[in-house]
Amino acid sequence: MKVTKREIIFSVAIVAVMLIVGIVLSDKINDSLMNSYQEYNTALQINDDPELFRYGMRTNVGNAFVHGNLAAVGSVSYPEVEGQYATMTKVTERYTMHTRTVTRTRTVNGKTQTYTTTENYWTWDSIDRDYLHVDNISFLGVEFPYGTIDYFPEHSITTIYQTSHLRDVYYGSDLEYEGTIYTVLSDNTISNATFYCNSSIEETIDSLEIKWQLVVFWIVWVLLIGGLVYGFYYIDNRWLEG
């Protein structure tokens, strides 16, 4: 691939235009981030104070960071499994044989040959799924319907084999977590709540104010510029010779 002086000059122009466009777009992203940061910094902060939490919901204070304990009200479990959990998932799996075509190579009389063959393999495939969860949760001592704060991550509990080719795999979530929610307090409830586990209010705000969006944007944008320049060099640019 031969690169001419005119192609170099034109590619410099492409880079310059793309950088200008990138700066404009990054400024817009930055303005949006600054608006969000202003929202975070003006939000009410409630640190393990149930009375202030209730007051904020009752008086419609709006955006708030609230630190406290998120807990299930009650628990759920399957009879065949020990322990109590906020949520549980039971996945029934069958050990199933599949076939696939694979490409292999071999050497015959000093020459390499490519051939295909069919082989069998086995996997555990999900054939049924059941889900349990508590009806209510509490945060900082105030009860809400399940799902108001969507944070009960499940982990593997146990596996029970019905037969050698059929098993039930159980997952469940803990009953309680500590952390911070960013939410809207109004109408005696919360909405748009996001839970940050094991994070104080200060740590939560710090994590939200990291400008990772700008870093990702510029990485993608630089890769795009590089791709455009490479594509420009790769195509036939005889029109520049005229």
Side-chain angles (χ1 to χ4, degrees), residues 14-41:
I14 292 176
V15 172
V17 171
M18 291 296 291
L19 286 176
I20 293 173
V21 174
I23 291 172
V24 172
L25 292 177
S26 67
D27 285 343
K28 291 184 179 297
I29 296 173
N30 187 66
D31 290 342
S32 177
L33 291 175
M34 294 307 295
N35 290 334
S36 297
Y37 298 162
Q38 183 177 5
E39 179 182 300
Y40 299 150
N41 291 322

Side-chain angles (χ1 to χ4, degrees), residues 138-208:
S138 71
F139 184 78
L140 207 55
V142 181
E143 287 194 19
F144 303 98
Y146 175 82
T148 304
I149 301 175
D150 188 15
Y151 186 87
F152 283 91
E154 294 186 340
H155 53 83
S156 178
I157 299 173
T158 188
T159 300
I160 299 177
Y161 285 82
Q162 300 181 32
T163 68
S164 60
H165 284 64
L166 195 66
R167 69 182 185 182
D168 295 319
V169 184
Y170 297 86
Y171 304 88
S173 61
D174 296 336
L175 292 172
E176 187 172 347
Y177 303 88
E178 179 184 351
T180 297
I181 59 171
Y182 181 60
T183 186
V184 178
L185 308 182
S186 64
D187 300 323
N188 287 311
T189 189
I190 61 176
S191 59
N192 303 322
T194 303
F195 184 75
Y196 300 89
C197 189
N198 296 325
S199 180
S200 67
I201 293 177
E202 292 77 13
E203 290 170 341
T204 301
I205 294 175
D206 288 343
S207 67
L208 290 172

Side-chain angles (χ1 to χ4, degrees), residues 229-241:
V229 172
Y230 178 82
F232 174 72
Y233 287 153
Y234 188 79
I235 63 176
D236 185 4
N237 294 306
R238 292 182 181 180
W239 58 276
L240 287 174
E241 299 174 4

Side-chain angles (χ1 to χ4, degrees), residues 18 48 62 65 69 124 132 162 174 215 228 236:
M18 291 296 291
D48 300 302
F65 287 97
N69 286 336
W124 285 100
L132 301 175
Q162 300 181 32
D174 296 336
V215 175
L228 286 175
D236 185 4

Side-chain angles (χ1 to χ4, degrees), residues 58-126:
R58 190 169 61 248
T59 56
N60 304 326
V61 299
N63 297 323
F65 287 97
V66 188
H67 183 271
N69 286 336
L70 170 64
V73 178
S75 62
V76 296
S77 188
Y78 290 95
E80 63 271 23
V81 177
E82 295 182 358
Q84 299 295 318
Y85 304 90
T87 69
M88 287 195 73
T89 300
K90 174 184 176 181
V91 182
T92 302
E93 299 177 340
R94 177 180 288 123
Y95 200 47
T96 309
M97 186 180 72
H98 306 273
T99 59
R100 61 188 171 193
T101 301
V102 295
T103 301
R104 303 185 185 277
T105 59
R106 61 189 173 191
T107 302
V108 179
N109 297 326
K111 295 182 180 181
T112 301
Q113 296 179 346
T114 300
Y115 68 99
T116 59
T117 184
T118 301
E119 66 177 22
N120 298 327
Y121 67 99
W122 293 78
T123 60
W124 285 100
D125 299 335
S126 174

